[in-house]
Amino acid sequence: MGNNVEQIVECVPNFSEGRDRAKVGAILAAMHVAGVSLLDWSLDADHNRSVITIAGPPAAVREAAVNGAVAASRLIDLTAQQGVHPRMGAADVIPFVPIANISLEQCALLARQAGMELWSRARVPSYFYEAAAARPDRAKLEDVRRGQFEGLREDVKRDSSRQPDVGGPELHPTAGASAIGARRLLIAYNIFLDTAVVATARAIAREIRASAGGLAGVKAMGVLAHGCAQISMNITDFRTTSVGAAFRSVKQQAAKYKAKPVRGELVGLLPELALEPGSEWMEQLEGFKAEERVLERRLENPLPWPQLTEMVGAASNA
């Protein structure tokens, strides 16, 4: 590879805090590393989760991600944290994604390096998943996170097969453990139904997810969010199963329960190739602006890094 070729890696850390803007602001401030672009960030109070998207040169992105995870380990106490989203760590998931002139295998190496650095600096252990997995039974994130923080905390004490890949063998007492991986682009997409019956959302999620014989490349769970039943999805291969196909399947299943999708939500960014202008699912995205939510456009025009004082001020005024 030539010396003049710019490598770009995306990283999308998920933190187990979606209610305290000051804490998320401190994590963002820690992640502000020279050369790293901020593409997107969001908080969700019901999921009690924040998702931050950054991109840039591999070493700088790795440093930013580890900085954020170290800050999260100081700020987030999982023994006092609750939300509808499964979690096992303060910095719960840290995926590295190849964007330009870098391979998935190189991103897996970044993930391994990040795990070792996080243990060295914060004594938070890590599990490697997807392309970075050190063991085949840890390729799937849901297998790694089985039991969540509370269950995993006990499992590692009595079952050596559940102990971390780096660090441990026990979890950090308040920050748990991080799942660090390398993967292709995925689309995090939520659909809200016109019902508050969470059992309906869970039944639909069971029908559509790949692990139950549903849609290829789709992970789904049903939760109650913002007072509505929600199908929360990760579409891991949008070329095989488009967002539109996932929406149509949810709509079809919901009709069996006399329910229908009324609103859509993206968490993070959407690749340009996934856009379907004029489609029903895109019409249901509230306030969608392509220049803000499409990955390629955000890479060209990244967000300004917010000042910590701005975040604290917003928190006090909320």
Side-chain angles (χ1 to χ4, degrees), residues 183-194:
R183 60 161 174 77
R184 302 290 182 190
L185 285 168
L186 70 72
I187 298 168
Y189 173 53
N190 301 330
I191 295 177
F192 294 88
L193 303 178
D194 63 346

Side-chain angles (χ1 to χ4, degrees), residues 20-33:
D20 190 326
R21 290 180 69 88
K23 287 183 179 179
V24 176
I27 292 168
L28 273 165
M31 294 176 68
H32 188 180
V33 170

